[in-house]
Amino acid sequence: MTERGAVLLPPSPAAIARAGRLLRAGALVAFPTETVYGLGADATSAEALERLYAAKGRPAHNPLIVHLCDLEDARLVADFDDRALSLGAAFWPGPLTLVLPRRSDGPVSPRASAGLSSVAVRVPAHSVARRLIQAAGRPIAAPSANRSGSVSATTPQHVAETLGDRIALILAAGRCPLGVESTVVDLTRQPARLLRPGGLTREALEAAIGPLAVPSGAAEMAEDARAPRSPGQFSRHYAPSLPVRLNVTAAGPNEALLTFGPDALVRGGVERANLSPGASLDEAAANLYALLRLLDKPGRAGIAVVPIPESGLGAAINDRLRRASAPSGADGTTGRPPLDVTRGADHDRR
Ligand code: TXA
Ligand code: MG
């Protein structure tokens, strides 16, 4: 037990079997994937999904990703066209989520889709996630294991800090290797749309199925805010408590500095963390959320971030940093509460 109440267990066969039983009984279980920790619930149970939305503080209109063991199981949940079949064959198991027409005769509760006619499906690569889905014997809905709108969790300790008092069990298997969430592609449209850059690069996807459309611009954001097609794409998201300022050349007064590559910019006295001293974007992605959490300390003026290259995983890193730096009220829901340094680690943002 932790002080916040969750049980943390290493992923032994007995612990995974126990987690599977808990999921079948409608409880919430956090588990590692190759991207970030997920907060899992039985995707076939509307009650379990309600519990999941409540624990995360997730708006009811933001749908969930359904995790499955393989492409064959995913085909019971969603309708796969040729593009979907070829993407699934090429990139699963792995950090790719496909948004597809939901099968009404499938096992998944419509609650996972939050009122949409589509459903998001993914086959994770992490062995613990795969063994857990098998042990549960049913599809698992799993958003990132953080309070809605705040920084995702890449270690079991991150999960315990913010959700520990709300979940039955955390399967604790160390750091997630990729560190940023899966890439989300909407295949319900032609051409396919890149809804969220992530662990699988756009370059790899486009080599497989040709050019992707990328939603952008104020008009589309406004349209999505009125009738969200991917509500998790609201601007403000993945955000620490402190304001985040991007593309800086130096930290301002009392700001912490998040750097990348050799620390030429840094002068003494500035609290700082380096995403990757060797300028590796893969290493930077793996470190991103842990370092944002590390620098997000009460009493600071904010977090300043140096420019990060846009290639490879840089696209996902910059996407998360842009959303973390979006102004108050840009999350399409209730906006950012006033900074309250007394609240400490409880990132209670909706
Ligand atoms: O790497 C990941 O994808 C992690 C791990 C745990 O698998 N999960 C994750 O889930 O990041 P979450 O809930 O934090 O993000 C899911 C994203 C949200 O932006 C959501 O709006 C979008 O996928 N999404 C889910 N279902 C959708 C749908 N039917 N149509 C459009 N977007 C959808
Ligand atoms: Mg998330």
Side-chain angles (χ1 to χ4, degrees):
M1 294 284 272
T2 67
E3 74 214 67
R4 295 295 200 105
V7 179
L8 272 96
L9 289 179
S12 66
I16 290 175
R18 177 170 164 192
R21 285 194 301 275
L22 282 166
L23 285 168
R24 280 200 301 280
L28 306 181
V29 170
F31 63 97
T33 80
E34 70 278 26
T35 58
V36 297
Y37 271 77
L39 179 57
D42 176 356
T44 69
S45 160
E47 295 76 40
L49 296 180
E50 284 313 328
R51 216 163 282 138
L52 180 55
Y53 277 93
K56 247 193 92 96
R58 187 174 182 108
H61 55 70
N62 190 357
L64 303 165
I65 298 175
V66 177
H67 295 64
L68 302 127
C69 262
D70 55 34
L71 178 56
E72 284 321 300
D73 283 355
R75 292 183 73 176
L76 302 174
V77 170
D79 283 325
F80 280 66
D81 63 9
D82 288 346
R83 288 175 310 175
L85 287 174
S86 67
L87 287 179
F91 298 115
W92 281 347
L96 171 65
T97 293
L98 300 179
V99 173
L100 295 168
R102 196 173 76 84
R103 274 183 67 159
S104 53
D105 62 348
V108 168
S109 163
R111 195 70 194 84
S113 293
L116 301 177
S117 57
S118 60
V119 63
V121 287
R122 142 162 154 82
V123 175
H126 198 293
S127 71
V128 175
R130 302 180 61 72
R131 284 185 280 150
L132 178 62
I133 300 167
Q134 243 143 18
R138 50 192 74 174
I140 299 180
S144 50
N146 53 277
R147 300 300 305 277
S148 185
S150 71
V151 178
S152 303
T154 52
T155 69
Q157 288 72 31
H158 294 163
V159 181
E161 273 164 28
T162 47
L163 290 170
D165 54 348
R166 295 158 184 251
I167 54 188
L169 175 63
I170 301 172
L171 287 174
R175 290 166 46 126
C176 300
L178 274 169
V180 288
E181 293 85 347
S182 62
T183 304
V184 181
V185 177
D186 179 1
L187 293 178
T188 66
R189 305 210 194 177
Q190 194 66 265
R193 299 204 319 161
L194 178 64
L195 295 182
R196 179 176 75 181
L200 181 68
T201 64
R202 178 177 177 179
E203 294 87 332
L205 278 166
E206 291 192 328
I209 58 163
L212 296 167
V214 181
S216 64
E220 204 154 0
M221 291 293 286
E223 190 196 330
D224 272 10
R226 277 195 302 278
R229 278 184 300 265
S230 189
Q233 299 314 299
F234 289 132
S235 236
R236 180 149 179 100
H237 220 87
Y238 310 100
S241 316
L242 295 175
V244 174
R245 204 162 61 82
L246 301 183
N247 298 318
V248 307
T249 51
N254 199 23
E255 271 182 340
L257 185 63
L258 187 59
T259 64
F260 174 82
D263 273 341
L265 292 170
V266 179
R267 284 177 283 282
V270 175
E271 177 71 30
R272 66 184 177 84
N274 195 320
L275 288 165
S276 171
S280 151
L281 288 164
D282 292 359
E283 184 186 22
N287 286 332
L288 177 67
Y289 292 133
L291 294 186
L292 280 176
R293 284 170 180 261
L294 180 78
L295 296 180
D296 191 22
K297 292 277 151 58
R300 296 227 169 98
I303 302 172
V305 189
V306 305
I308 314 284
E310 186 67 22
S311 57
L313 288 189
I317 296 170
N318 283 320
D319 171 79
R320 304 306 185 269
L321 287 171
R322 275 192 293 274
R323 294 177 199 285
S325 73
S328 307
D331 67 352
T333 51
T334 57
R336 188 160 167 268
L339 181 62
D340 175 0
V341 292
T342 61
R343 253 214 330 260
D346 184 16
H347 302 271
D348 195 14
R349 186 171 309 118
R350 304 293 154 122

